[in-house]
Amino acid sequence: ILNVEQSPQSLHVQEGDSTNFTCSFPSSNFYALHWYRWETAKSPEALFVMTLNGDEKKKGRISATLNTKEGYSYLYIKGSQPEDSATYLCAFWEVNTGFQKLVFGTGTRLLVSP
Amino acid sequence: GAGVSQSPRYKVAKRGQDVALRCDPISGHVSLFWYQQALGQGPEFLTYFQNEAQLDKSGLPSDRFFAERPEGSVSTLKIQRTQQEDSAVYLCASSPRQGEHYGYTFGSGTRLTVV
C-alpha cells in the first residue's frame, strides 16, 4: 500500500507568521506530486503540479519545493493571512500496472488567526 | 460548464436506503474520478473513467458501490443498502486527460450521512 504522509496534522498560527508543512512520499517510481488547497465548504483547488527533482513553484505568498530522491515536498506560506486558513493536501501520482491515479495524504489543517 | 458540479450537496439516508450521487464534469474533460473522504482522512480513490469506459474500479469498497458514465460526461455513483460506514464526503474530479501533469478540478462534494 502506497503511503503519503503529511505533517503536522494541524497548525494554528497568527496573521503575519510564516509557516511550512511537509509531505513525504515513496522515492521510487516517481512521476508527479500535486498540492491542493481545500477551504471549508468549497472545492479542493489545485495549487501546484511538480514533476522534476529540485522543482520550486510559487503562487503569490505560497511556494513549494520537491526532493524526489529523498521523497519529500515542503509547502511554505509567507506572511500567513486569515484567508489562507484551509486544509492543504498533497497527492502522489501512482502508476501501477497501467492504471494511474492520485493518492492523497491526510492533509494539514491550517488556521490563521487575525 | 465552468466547474465540476456535484449534487446533492448534502444527503441524509436511512441505513439500508439506496442513494445516487451525481457529478457533472467540465465539458470536454476526458478523465473523471470519484474519491471518498471519511472524517479525519485524506480522499481515498474509488474509481476512474476515461470517457464512458470505467478503467479502474479497484477502490470501490464493496459490491454495493456502483458507478457509471454512460455518455462520457455526467457520472453517477450509486450506493445500495447504505451502511453507517458509508458516511463520508464523496468528491468527484475531472481532468482534460489522463496524465501526471494534469491537475484535477474538483467539485464541492456530496456529504452523505447514514443514520
Side-chain angles (χ1 to χ4, degrees):
Chain A
I1 295 177
L2 192 150
N3 253 348
V4 179
E5 297 185 356
Q6 292 188 247
S7 62
Q9 195 171 31
S10 62
L11 198 51
H12 185 185
V13 302
Q14 297 297 311
E15 183 176 356
D17 289 349
S18 292
T19 186
N20 66 86
F21 2 106
T22 305
C23 173
S24 301
F25 51 85
S27 55
S28 61
N29 205 25
F30 179 85
Y31 286 82
L33 193 283
H34 293 211
W35 281 100
Y36 289 83
R37 173 172 59 198
W38 192 0
E39 295 178 65
T40 302
K42 294 188 177 179
S43 312
E45 171 199 1
L47 287 174
F48 304 116
V49 176
M50 309 181 80
T51 56
L52 298 175
N53 185 40
D55 235 357
E56 289 189 31
K57 301 255 182 175
K58 190 173 180 183
K59 187 175 183 177
R61 293 177 292 96
I62 304 177
S63 60
T65 61
L66 179 69
N67 184 324
T68 61
K69 294 186 178 178
E70 296 184 36
Y72 65 83
S73 176
Y74 293 139
L75 190 80
Y76 301 91
I77 302 179
K78 185 177 177 183
S80 303
Q81 299 296 309
E83 58 265 30
D84 296 328
S85 298
T87 296
Y88 292 82
L89 292 162
C90 72
F92 179 83
W93 186 257
E94 180 189 30
V95 177
N96 186 11
T97 59
F99 297 134
Q100 306 167 29
K101 57 181 175 281
L102 282 178
V103 177
F104 284 85
T106 53
T108 292
R109 195 170 292 105
L110 174 67
L111 177 62
V112 183
S113 295
Chain B
V4 177
S5 177
Q6 289 189 248
S7 61
R9 190 71 188 270
Y10 303 94
K11 176 70 180 177
V12 178
K14 290 185 178 177
R15 193 170 58 177
Q17 188 178 353
D18 296 350
V19 298
L21 313 180
R22 177 188 168 105
C23 172
D24 203 338
I26 291 176
S27 179
H29 275 198
V30 166
S31 299
L32 185 145
F33 305 84
W34 283 99
Y35 281 79
Q36 177 193 58
Q37 191 200 24
L39 194 62
Q41 303 297 314
E44 299 262 350
F45 172 81
L46 292 177
T47 188
Y48 161 63
F49 289 87
Q50 183 170 297
N51 295 308
E52 69 279 3
Q54 188 176 21
L55 297 187
D56 187 351
K57 54 181 180 180
S58 61
L60 295 176
S62 77
D63 58 9
R64 295 185 296 104
F65 286 71
F66 171 77
E68 60 182 3
R69 192 186 185 197
E71 296 176 2
S73 54
V74 171
S75 177
T76 304
L77 177 67
K78 297 178 179 176
I79 309 173
Q80 296 178 321
R81 305 182 303 281
T82 51
Q83 303 294 314
Q84 283 191 317
E85 61 263 28
D86 301 335
S87 296
V89 174
Y90 290 85
L91 287 167
C92 175
S94 69
S95 68
R97 58 181 66 186
Q98 178 70 298
E100 67 271 21
H101 299 282
Y102 297 96
Y104 290 4
T105 302
F106 281 91
S108 301
T110 294
R111 182 177 295 276
L112 172 66
T113 304
V114 181
V115 297

